[in-house]
Amino acid sequence: MTENTATGMPDWEKRFRAPRVALPEWAEDAPHRSLFVSNATGTYELYAWDRATGTQRQATERPNGTTDGTLSPDGEWIWWFSDTDGDEFGTWVRQPFAGGPDEPATPGLEPSYPAGLAIGRDGTAVVGRSTDEEGSTVHVVRPGGAEPVEIYRHRESAGVGDLSRDGTLIAIEHTEHGDAMHSSLRVVTLDGTTVAELDDSRGGTLELGLEVLGFAPVAGDTRLLVGHQRRGRWEPMVWDTATGSEQELLLDLPGDVSAEWYPDGSALLVEHSFEARSELWRYDLAAQELTRVETPPGTVSGATARPDGTVEYQWSSAAEPSAIRSTAGGVVLDAPGFRPPRSVPVEDVWVEGPGGRIHALAQRPVGHGEGPFPTVFEVHGGPTWHDCDAFAAAPAAWLDHGFAVVRVNYRGSTGYGREWTDALKHRVGLIELEDITAVREWAVASGLADPSRLVLSGGSWGGYLTLLGLGMQPEAWAVGLAAVPVADYVTAYHDEMEALKALDRTLFGGTPEEVPERFAASSPLTYVDAVQAPVHIAAGVNDPRCPIRQIDNYVDRLAARGAVHEVYRYDAGHGSLVVEERIKQVRMEIDFALKHLPR
């Protein structure tokens, strides 16, 4: 679509329809070959890009889109995960980088949920899998048609973290201790023999997690870059899996810190997230020096160090659309067609809450007076996620229609320290609503929000909190908009994918049969008969995360008493990768809110 064909289209639709690209991944041994995701056709798909020739081609084409893919180290193969209509259950397939038919990449492995993938230089693949029946497994798949070999199995959640440069060591993240929020690490050989272990949780007795950030990119190097939480936040350290030595990196940066290797292994590219914004640094391991990598204020949603020492990164702010930039200068990769219109900057809001200071991001509509405004509280999913100063088409759509938008980084959100993220255990949903309530009271008292025209909205965990809030605070909200929500927590637990069952057991302290009172207290279904606000629910019929049966149970209860509601079911999973489908859903939500809000 060109700029001319977008003429006359509302700005909010342009922001969704504008072609966009994600940060390209590059092949480790063929850095001129890249793979990226784009919505250029109207559906998010994978694209191959040969930087040497400048040629690009669409590698996947499926009705519901494809985003999960990677390149083999030599750049000869594109691997992508093939599920059915967004159900996240399937197998890995591959195709030649230059084009050609897809073929099974892991013959002999039955369909599963993906749990990590690492590809070696000799073509060996280490495949993490999860099924309801088997739990978590890791298989080694050798080239040449040999039968896959299972090297790991456990009922609790686990996955493949990385494969060493020489293909001899595998790093596995696991939660065998039963705490699905705090992983431990095990390094094994290709036959499954354990060579090193790291467990900051001490068998599940401490709420301290670890994550794999990657093996050193040097043949024979046994160092593994690891994320840890020993000082109350995420920080990187270098763990030598052969000697057991640990090099903690004492970086004087507030907030969470992650990192990845520079290609020669001499330095780390550090991503620092703090108070809903992020920045980049280079850390020289020998000199122990930290140098700023200049990026504009806003959010870096991805970054990678190239072999020539330059850094490519994806950047945006709430006002400025996303761009793929390089420290060498200029735009690395631009989508064809028109740029999306700008939007409104965010204002930082700090509100005292029952668990400490709450950070929220507020946006005011332009050209609609001084307020108070009808206000959408857009609740993020996760819950281990956070809203940030980044470009997003959905909030911008509400702003264009005269709404203020408030986004709350409630307890459970990342980026504010381990205690903030872990705080919601055993009072699931209830703690988040306390924080949303505190920010809502600020929004009304400050004159930003019209108390009679408050919309509670969100998707996934945000959809869950929306339904919970409508039932527990029926007088507070005028309209509710819930996309792919948890609505009946007990049924959701029994129907969801196994990895989420493990997370729920950690959050609640047991199963619905073991702690029924906690599930009842946190389930929107418990409070459905108190809901007063008109509610709109969108649900994917193939969703393995928030399955359709539990949503139907909730809707049946609304219908039984004639509550005002609308339900939209669509043939996809946990959200849609089709642009027109996303626009359709946002239009339905805006129309529903305008229809039911008082004038």
Side-chain angles (χ1 to χ4, degrees):
M1 183 181 292
T2 66
E3 184 72 62
N4 290 337
T5 59
T7 302
M9 185 189 303
D11 279 356
W12 76 267
E13 291 189 24
K14 290 179 185 177
R15 294 190 192 96
F16 282 98
R17 290 198 174 98
R20 64 191 69 189
V21 292
L23 181 72
E25 171 193 342
W26 50 274
E28 293 178 2
D29 297 337
H32 63 286
R33 291 190 167 184
S34 291
L35 185 70
F36 64 90
V37 175
S38 176
N39 68 337
T41 64
T43 301
Y44 285 90
E45 296 286 1
L46 296 170
Y47 288 75
W49 175 28
D50 190 323
R51 299 184 185 215
T53 64
T55 58
Q56 298 177 9
R57 71 173 185 88
Q58 184 177 338
T60 57
E61 184 175 7
R62 301 194 300 157
N64 286 294
T66 314
T67 58
D68 197 354
T70 191
L71 291 170
S72 59
D74 60 9
E76 291 295 324
W77 294 95
I78 297 170
W79 287 56
W80 59 274
F81 191 76
S82 176
D83 64 353
T84 303
D85 295 329
D87 67 359
E88 302 182 44
F89 195 82
T91 59
W92 289 98
V93 298
R94 67 177 194 171
Q95 65 175 256
F97 181 85
D102 294 313
E103 63 181 45
T106 56
L109 290 182
E110 295 296 317
S112 68
Y113 298 111
L117 172 72
I119 306 170
R121 280 159 176 75
D122 64 353
T124 297
V126 184
V127 184
R129 303 170 64 254
S130 173
T131 67
D132 295 342
E133 297 75 24
E134 299 175 307
S136 302
T137 58
V138 174
H139 289 78
V140 172
V141 182
R142 300 281 190 177
E147 195 71 18
V149 177
E150 181 183 300
I151 62 166
Y152 178 90
R153 176 185 291 259
H154 202 277
R155 285 303 310 172
E156 298 292 346
S157 297
V160 175
D162 198 17
L163 179 66
S164 62
R165 176 84 175 194
D166 58 12
T168 62
L169 300 175
I170 302 164
I172 296 174
E173 292 184 12
H174 71 84
T175 59
E176 294 174 6
H177 49 265
D179 181 349
M181 295 179 69
H182 302 95
S183 295
S184 299
L185 305 184
R186 179 173 299 147
V187 177
V188 302
T189 57
L190 266 67
D191 63 2
T193 301
T194 298
V195 298
E197 298 209 55
L198 200 59
D199 177 18
D200 280 5
S201 79
R202 298 183 186 174
T205 60
L206 296 178
E207 293 184 336
L208 292 175
L210 298 164
E211 63 177 344
V212 173
L213 300 178
F215 276 105
V218 179
D221 197 327
T222 55
R223 293 177 301 164
L224 181 66
L225 188 62
V226 171
H228 70 91
Q229 298 178 301
R230 295 172 182 177
R231 284 184 290 272
R233 60 174 184 155
W234 282 109
E235 298 175 272
M237 71 173 183
V238 178
W239 174 40
D240 191 323
T241 62
T243 67
S245 66
E246 299 173 9
Q247 180 188 357
E248 294 190 15
L249 311 178
L250 301 178
L251 307 179
D252 188 19
L253 299 170
D256 285 337
V257 182
S258 186
E260 68 172 52
W261 297 94
Y262 271 77
D264 63 1
S266 67
L268 302 177
L269 177 61
V270 174
E271 182 174 339
H272 170 227
S273 298
F274 183 57
E275 296 183 352
R277 292 167 183 85
S278 54
E279 59 187 8
L280 298 176
W281 299 78
R282 184 184 188 276
Y283 182 77
D284 186 293
L285 287 164
Q288 298 184 17
E289 291 180 350
L290 197 61
T291 306
R292 178 76 180 268
V293 176
E294 293 298 328
T295 60
T299 295
V300 175
S301 55
T304 182
R306 296 276 293 169
D308 63 1
T310 61
V311 175
E312 296 178 354
Y313 60 95
Q314 183 163 19
W315 173 91
S316 72
S317 70
E320 293 290 341
S322 174
I324 309 297
R325 301 183 178 186
S326 171
T327 54
V331 174
V332 174
L333 178 66
D334 215 347
F338 64 96
R339 289 275 290 167
R342 298 178 75 255
S343 188
V344 178
V346 295
E347 304 170 21
D348 292 284
V349 175
W350 292 94
V351 177
E352 290 299 328
R357 283 208 316 162
I358 308 158
H359 189 200
L361 303 175
Q363 291 170 283
R364 300 171 185 267
V366 176
H368 293 271
E370 295 300 317
F373 304 103
T375 300
V376 176
F377 281 73
E378 187 73 31
V379 185
H380 72 72
T384 50
W385 192 250
H386 68 273
D387 280 313
C388 55
D389 182 9
F391 196 76
W398 288 107
L399 291 161
D400 286 2
H401 285 81
F403 288 77
V405 176
V406 177
R407 289 174 285 171
V408 182
N409 283 331
Y410 50 78
R411 278 171 287 173
S413 302
T414 53
Y416 301 89
R418 180 179 62 82
E419 289 186 8
W420 191 261
T421 302
D422 290 352
L424 56 83
K425 277 187 174 181
H426 301 177
R427 295 188 62 237
V428 179
L430 312 180
I431 281 178
E432 300 96 297
L433 286 181
E434 291 174 356
D435 292 347
I436 293 168
T437 297
V439 176
R440 184 190 73 223
E441 291 172 350
W442 163 84
V444 171
S446 69
L448 174 69
D450 181 343
S452 68
R453 295 187 291 170
L454 300 181
V455 179
L456 188 56
S457 174
S460 190
W461 197 265
Y464 158 62
L465 294 176
T466 293
L467 296 184
L468 191 65
L470 296 179
M472 296 191 70
Q473 305 168 344
E475 306 288 344
W477 307 103
V479 169
L481 308 168
V484 291
V486 175
D488 166 7
Y489 221 129
V490 174
T491 302
Y493 175 86
H494 290 299
D495 288 1
E496 68 194 4
M497 58 202 301
E498 184 61 33
L500 290 182
K501 285 187 173 73
L503 176 60
D504 282 339
R505 289 193 296 272
T506 297
L507 288 172
F508 285 92
T511 67
E513 291 71 33
E514 293 166 339
V515 287
E517 71 288 348
R518 290 178 182 170
F519 276 83
S522 296
S523 178
L525 189 67
T526 302
Y527 312 99
V528 63
D529 291 337
V531 173
Q532 298 177 17
V535 56
H536 183 278
I537 298 174
V541 298
N542 304 314
D543 191 345
R545 298 175 181 268
C546 298
I548 193 68
R549 183 168 72 104
Q550 51 96 25
I551 294 174
D552 289 340
N553 292 346
Y554 185 91
V555 170
D556 289 346
R557 288 279 293 275
L558 288 175
R561 64 181 181 88
V564 179
H565 69 284
E566 292 181 9
V567 183
Y568 174 64
R569 298 174 179 85
Y570 56 98
D571 189 19
H574 198 61
S576 177
L577 299 175
V578 180
V579 172
E580 290 302 321
E581 176 61 39
R582 185 72 185 110
I583 291 172
K584 178 181 180 181
Q585 293 182 31
V586 172
R587 184 184 293 117
M588 292 171 69
E589 291 180 341
I590 292 172
D591 290 347
F592 186 86
L594 293 175
K595 176 182 176 182
H596 291 289
L597 283 177
R599 298 291 180 183

